[in-house]
Amino acid sequence: MSEKWESMAARELLAAAIAAFHPRIALSTAFGVEGVVIVDILMRIEPRARIFTVDTGRLPPETYALIDAVRARYGCTIDVFFPMAQAVEAMVGNHGVNLFYASVERRKQCCAVRKVEPLGRALAGLQAWITGLRRDQAVTRRDVAKVQVDRDHGGILKLNPLADWSTEDVWRYVRAHDVPYNALHDQGYPSIGCAPCTRAVRPGEDLRAGRWWWEAPESKECGLHLPTAREASS
Ligand code: SF4
């Protein structure tokens, strides 16, 4: 079955997944360019397809503008999940508002509170979730399968329909379909996350070099996409 999924084009895979799982399937997007491409494909398949995002409270203004632009363009509902206020208050009270610069441990703590916990709530009750992960984004993503069993989230399926797309494939789709995208992409940001943890990349740098740029490439995941998820075998 995993080979069957691997051979499917993104639209074909998404159509099959929606037919099998809607409404217990949702796209998780931080509104990078891969996310909006999937929104566009999904809306052509099923206009009521579920979309959610995690608002960490530290997103750049360009991302909030894009969320509204996507809502207006497609007429879709976007569920927004926030971190637990008490957990943020305790963390910031103990370690400061910019604790992530202090160490990898503190950065992962912030991601756990602001991203991972809300994601867990967003995934509750779903049978499958969809992401915009691509293999050529980073060393941590080279083995991403199009369909994985996500044991970190109760064994639901994790679908990565753009896993084998190149950066050029993504932008070709955006231009062909006039998909709205984050204004930061035109300012040297190939990958966009929280404002204090993302910078523009320099020519020749890795696509995710601007994410947590003070850390080594091997540590650059926030806990949303741990490499422990296994390829589907059934
Ligand atoms: S990316 Fe930065 S600000 Fe956002 S949750 Fe992670 S450490 Fe916190």
Side-chain angles (χ1 to χ4, degrees), residues 16-144:
I18 289 291
F21 300 120
H22 178 76
R24 296 187 68 191
I25 182 171
L27 167 65
S28 169
T29 177
F31 289 92
V33 68
E34 291 84 3
V36 289
V37 164
I38 298 175
V39 168
D40 191 87
I41 299 172
L42 268 183
M43 291 298 101
R44 296 165 192 268
I45 297 169
E46 170 53 69
R48 295 165 300 172
R50 293 174 61 184
I51 302 166
F52 74 83
T53 193
V54 171
D55 183 348
T56 63
R58 303 298 299 265
L59 301 180
E62 290 85 353
T63 298
Y64 293 112
L66 178 60
I67 293 172
D68 279 348
V70 167
R71 231 191 279 272
R73 164 74 177 268
Y74 299 99
C76 55
T77 299
I78 298 167
D79 295 321
V80 182
F81 289 81
F82 294 91
M84 303 293 282
Q86 282 187 331
V88 174
E89 287 170 5
M91 176 179 71
V92 169
N94 286 327
H95 303 295
V97 73
N98 288 332
L99 71 161
F100 30 79
Y101 296 132
S103 65
V104 172
E105 182 188 7
R106 290 282 173 256
R107 196 272 292 168
K108 289 187 173 178
Q109 178 183 1
C110 184
C111 285
V113 168
R114 291 185 182 272
K115 289 183 174 180
V116 178
E117 189 281 331
L119 175 73
R121 274 185 282 120
L123 297 181
L126 295 183
Q127 294 177 316
W129 63 306
I130 305 163
T131 86
L133 296 187
R134 292 189 298 110
R135 291 174 193 141
D136 76 356
Q137 284 172 322
V139 293
T140 52
R141 299 185 174 181
R142 279 184 191 149
D143 296 328
V144 166

Side-chain angles (χ1 to χ4, degrees), residues 194-206:
C194 293
C197 298
T198 311
R199 65 156 170 75
V201 301
R202 291 180 280 271
E205 279 190 319
D206 186 80

